[in-house]
Structures are given as structure tokens and as C-alpha cells.
Amino acid sequence: AQKVTQTQTSISVMEKTTVTMDCVYETRDSSYFLFWYKQTASGEIVFLIRQDSYKKENATEGHYSLNFQKPKSSIGLIITATQIEDSAVYFCAMRERNNNNAPRFGAGTKLSVKP
Amino acid sequence: GGIITQTPKFLIGQEGQKLTLKCQQNFNHDTMYWYRQDSGKGLRLIYYSITENDLQKGDLSEGYDASREKKSSFSLTVTSAQKNEMAVFLCASSISGQNQDTQYFGPGTRLLVL
């Protein structure tokens, strides 16, 4: 069974610093997709970045990057040069490739960026 | 680009009432999803559909029905609203292929049961 765990309930950082949010997952599938989504205070959920399990290179997208450690079943989200508008709840998700199961989400990490 | 619309934005119901939420997407995506989010919590999957007329149960399907009569639309029915229930219902869609399963979310329907 697939499972996604985000142990950090909330994180507070100062503006312009770098933050890492943790996510670990469980799967029996050898091939899977990992995602990070952002939910703003308005409730809107947007896709940020993804990592395909067969790719060794960490994905990057703007000031978002991933720290993919496959042996540890870990996919951390790194935000560099944080901005006030990065304050939001961040969800990690995983989808196994070899079945029709829907993506499984973690509980989310609330990030507060302070000036 | 595309968009997901959810109607209504706000839904106030009475205990025991059957309530229907609608979702439309113009991405031409194959798969659609319904999630429930309680205040300050994560997303719990209710139902999803991988193609027209397909239905797959999620972890939270009890108390709900769903219908996917067209590729572009996916409706969710709360079969008997529970008193004091308050949650946001989020619809999402995704496509198979190169960007497989990247989900796009609608703005949500906020439910309050009196």
C-alpha cells in the first residue's frame, strides 16, 4: 500500500533564507511519480514540481528544487531565497506507475515566511 | 491552458439532505478526482474516475456517490448530509502521458450543514 508522510506540521523562516520540507513515502512499485503542491491562504492548490522515480537528477523549477533520495524513500522540497508569498501549506504526493491508483497525499507542512 | 470550475462555490444544506456538487474541466483530461479537506487538514480521496463512466472508490467513499457521464464533468453527491459538517470539496483532473498524473485543482466547494 502506498503511504506519504510529512512529519513537519509547520515551519517558520525569515525571508530570503532557504528552507527544506521533508517527505517520505512507502511503495512496493519500482516506478512512481512524486509531486509537490502549494495551497495558498485562499485555498487554491497549484502544482509546483515533480520527480519521476527513474530519473536520478533532482528536478528544479525556478526557486524550487527537490532532494530525491531513493534509497531512503525521501523527496524533500527546497525553496531558496524565500519570499513572503511563499507562505502557504505544501503537500507532497506520490502516484505509483503500474496501477490505476490515485495519487496519495501527505498531511501537509505549513510554511510561514517572516520579513 | 485550461480551467476547472466547481459549482456551487458555497453550499449550505440541512441535516439528512442529499447534496450534489459539480465539476467541469476543459483540459480534455482523462482522470478526475474528488477530495475532501477539513479545516487545517490534508486531502482525503473520495472518488476518482479514469475515464468516462468509470468510478473508483477512494478512502472516504462511504456516504458519497459520484457520476462521470461525460469526459469533461464529474459530479459528487453527499447522500445524507451530517449535522454541523463543514468541509471543502476539491475537484481535480489529470492527463495520462508525458506529464502523467500532474493534477490541476478547482477552487473548491465549501459545504456547511446546519
Side-chain angles (χ1 to χ4, degrees):
Chain A
Q2 51 182 4
K3 184 178 178 181
V4 177
T5 303
Q6 295 178 254
T7 56
Q8 299 157 305
T9 305
S10 63
I11 301 174
S12 182
V13 300
M14 300 302 292
E15 193 180 13
K16 300 178 185 176
T17 60
T18 295
V19 64
T20 299
M21 282 174 270
D22 301 328
C23 176
V24 293
Y25 55 89
E26 294 176 23
T27 179
R28 295 179 183 172
D29 206 329
S30 58
S31 183
Y32 46 89
F33 308 100
L34 300 160
F35 308 86
W36 279 92
Y37 293 86
K38 173 184 178 181
Q39 185 172 36
T40 61
S42 68
E44 180 187 20
I45 299 178
V46 295
F47 163 74
L48 292 179
I49 190 170
R50 65 181 282 153
Q51 180 82 36
D52 297 345
S53 64
Y54 56 87
K55 293 185 178 179
K56 293 184 179 179
E57 189 174 320
N58 288 325
T60 63
E61 190 70 48
H63 76 145
Y64 303 108
S65 61
L66 297 178
N67 179 18
F68 180 40
Q69 299 184 59
K70 196 170 183 179
K72 295 184 178 180
S73 297
S74 170
I75 184 74
L77 173 67
I78 303 167
I79 306 177
T80 56
T82 51
Q83 303 162 14
I84 302 297
E85 50 266 35
D86 291 323
S87 297
V89 178
Y90 291 81
F91 290 101
C92 175
M94 178 188 66
R95 156 94 163 86
E96 294 169 337
R97 184 189 183 104
N98 294 319
N99 58 50
N100 284 326
N101 290 342
R104 177 75 59 166
F105 281 79
T109 296
K110 183 176 182 178
L111 175 66
S112 299
V113 180
K114 301 189 182 306
Chain B
I3 191 169
I4 295 181
T5 54
Q6 291 188 238
T7 54
K9 289 185 179 178
F10 299 96
L11 183 56
I12 299 177
Q14 301 290 328
E15 184 182 13
Q17 194 176 3
K18 181 185 283 189
L19 303 167
T20 298
L21 292 68
K22 294 185 183 296
C23 177
Q24 296 261 359
Q25 54 96 0
N26 64 0
F27 288 102
N28 199 33
H29 284 172
D30 305 301
T31 307
M32 296 184 74
Y33 313 81
W34 276 108
Y35 292 92
R36 173 182 167 131
Q37 186 176 33
D38 293 292
S39 182
K41 303 292 185 181
L43 306 176
R44 292 189 289 172
L45 182 68
I46 307 172
Y47 269 100
Y48 67 106
S49 168
I50 61 176
T51 189
E52 187 176 324
N53 292 320
D54 174 75
L55 284 179
Q56 308 282 339
K57 291 184 178 181
D59 296 330
L60 205 62
S61 61
E62 188 169 338
Y64 301 93
D65 287 329
S67 175
R68 182 94 182 271
E69 294 172 351
K70 294 191 301 183
K71 186 176 183 179
S72 62
S73 66
F74 194 28
S75 62
L76 180 73
T77 298
V78 179
T79 56
S80 180
Q82 300 298 305
K83 188 175 175 64
N84 297 323
E85 183 176 6
M86 188 166 65
V88 176
F89 291 83
L90 292 157
C91 177
S93 69
S94 67
I95 195 168
S96 299
Q98 186 174 5
N99 291 319
Q100 190 170 18
D101 294 308
T102 296
Q103 291 174 298
Y104 296 84
F105 284 83
T109 291
R110 284 152 180 79
L111 170 68
L112 175 62
V113 181
L114 302 175

